[in-house]
Amino acid sequence: MSEIQKFSEEKVLWVKRHSPKHLTFAISRPESYRFEAGQFSRLGFYEGEGFIWRAYSVISAEYADTLEYFVVLIEGGPMSALLDKIQEGDSILLDKTAQGFFLPGRFPDGRDLIMLCTGSGIAPFLSMLHQPEIWQRFDTLALAHSVSYPSELVFNEFLGSLKEHPLVGEFAHKLRFVPITTRGSEEGALHFRLPEALKNGSLSAAFDLPFSKEHSRFMLCGNPQMVQDTFKALLGMGYAMHRNKIPGQIMMENGF
């Protein structure tokens, strides 16, 4: 199969810039494009005679007419340089197949879904929060989003509006959200890195939710160092990696 057959050329529908390095944008969605909340798309641009591709988790609902993404631009990053210039009406390439196994449905049991993320690692969880079946499956959805400064907590308004969501609003009381700022003060936020917040008990207290191997299922997404350190912290607390043949309590994915 040739490269040209593996992707479609889509239109950028809108771009919202939250800061010089934080942006969300939407692109047209082919009728044939399917994904599960938690999966990522490969987005690309033509570059000379070739292409440049990067993976970005979808933040919109599985049933949405468009595909939305959240990006934290990386200084000096070649893909970030291109995304920094995108505007409504531009073209972008979309690989025809969504990918990834960062799916809450892979947990065979569990009562509380605990979503731990840094930066753009919040993206797959935003998509999950649009899905009624995830709210129905778990008694509690606990989300901690760790950023450097309060201004980077760009989805607080969306999280607060979930109670008005036509499909999941009736379950919104199940959500417990804890913001974490590591370099700035924010009322109601924790100020520990996620691994420390787990080990010292402050995250469990902030969620007002006891953690246990029986009930807690952890999903980690964000920068590789956080994911690795948080994974090690959870291992030290007695939790185990979830594998298809050996069920556990931890699932993780690096976000870049």
Side-chain angles (χ1 to χ4, degrees):
M1 183 182 290
S2 68
E3 184 77 21
I4 195 70
Q5 294 173 300
K6 295 180 181 179
F7 65 83
S8 59
E9 191 166 325
E10 303 302 325
K11 289 296 180 187
V12 176
L13 303 175
W14 54 258
V15 180
K16 181 176 181 180
R17 298 183 184 275
H18 306 277
S19 80
K21 68 174 186 176
H22 296 79
L23 62 92
T24 48
F25 62 94
I27 68 173
S28 53
R29 178 178 183 173
E31 288 188 9
S32 60
Y33 193 83
R34 298 289 180 267
F35 74 96
E36 290 186 61
Q39 289 190 306
F40 58 84
S41 305
R42 289 179 72 242
L43 300 179
F45 295 96
Y46 294 109
E47 189 176 57
E49 296 183 1
F51 306 87
I52 180 171
W53 295 97
R54 293 292 186 273
Y56 297 97
S57 294
V58 186
I59 68 172
S60 46
E62 294 176 11
Y63 46 82
D65 293 333
T66 63
L67 297 170
E68 297 179 23
Y69 303 91
F70 171 51
V71 176
V72 179
L73 300 175
I74 301 170
E75 187 174 354
M79 188 67 168
S80 290
L82 294 170
L83 288 173
D84 191 29
K85 299 175 183 176
I86 63 167
Q87 300 180 47
E88 178 182 338
D90 287 352
S91 294
I92 194 167
L93 308 180
L94 172 69
D95 190 299
K96 289 185 176 180
T97 305
Q99 301 178 46
F101 300 96
F102 193 62
L103 307 170
R106 290 180 56 220
F107 286 124
D109 55 8
R111 185 186 68 192
D112 306 320
L113 183 65
I114 301 157
M115 302 168 282
L116 309 180
C117 57
T118 54
S120 61
I122 194 174
F125 301 131
L126 297 174
S127 182
M128 294 175 196
L129 292 175
H130 285 288
Q131 304 304 131
E133 62 271 20
I134 292 174
W135 294 86
Q136 293 166 342
R137 158 82 188 278
F138 295 97
D139 288 356
T140 303
L141 275 65
L143 171 65
H145 187 204
S146 178
V147 297
S148 296
Y149 300 101
S151 61
E152 297 172 10
L153 293 166
V154 299
F155 292 103
N156 289 14
E157 183 177 342
F158 163 74
L159 296 172
S161 71
L162 283 170
K163 59 183 178 292
E164 309 298 334
H165 193 289
L167 297 182
V168 306
E170 64 183 291
F171 309 112
H173 63 279
K174 293 184 175 186
L175 178 66
R176 304 185 189 191
F177 173 57
V178 171
I180 299 176
T181 56
T182 56
R183 297 184 186 175
S185 59
E186 170 79 354
E187 185 176 352
L190 291 181
H191 306 295
F192 300 102
R193 290 183 66 243
L194 278 166
E196 284 69 41
L198 280 167
K199 290 186 283 189
N200 65 23
S202 61
L203 185 60
S204 175
F207 280 140
D208 191 21
L209 183 69
F211 299 154
S212 70
K213 286 190 283 187
E214 179 184 4
H215 297 305
S216 304
R217 299 297 176 264
F218 297 91
M219 300 187 78
L220 322 177
C221 188
N223 72 71
Q225 192 63 58
M226 179 284 289
V227 170
Q228 193 60 237
D229 291 348
T230 303
F231 177 56
K232 289 178 180 177
L234 288 169
L235 290 180
M237 296 166 68
Y239 300 100
M241 184 73 173
H242 175 74
R243 304 183 189 283
N244 288 338
K245 294 183 179 179
I246 308 175
Q249 301 85 30
I250 309 167
M251 202 179 299
M252 56 189 186
E253 181 159 278
N254 291 331
F256 297 92

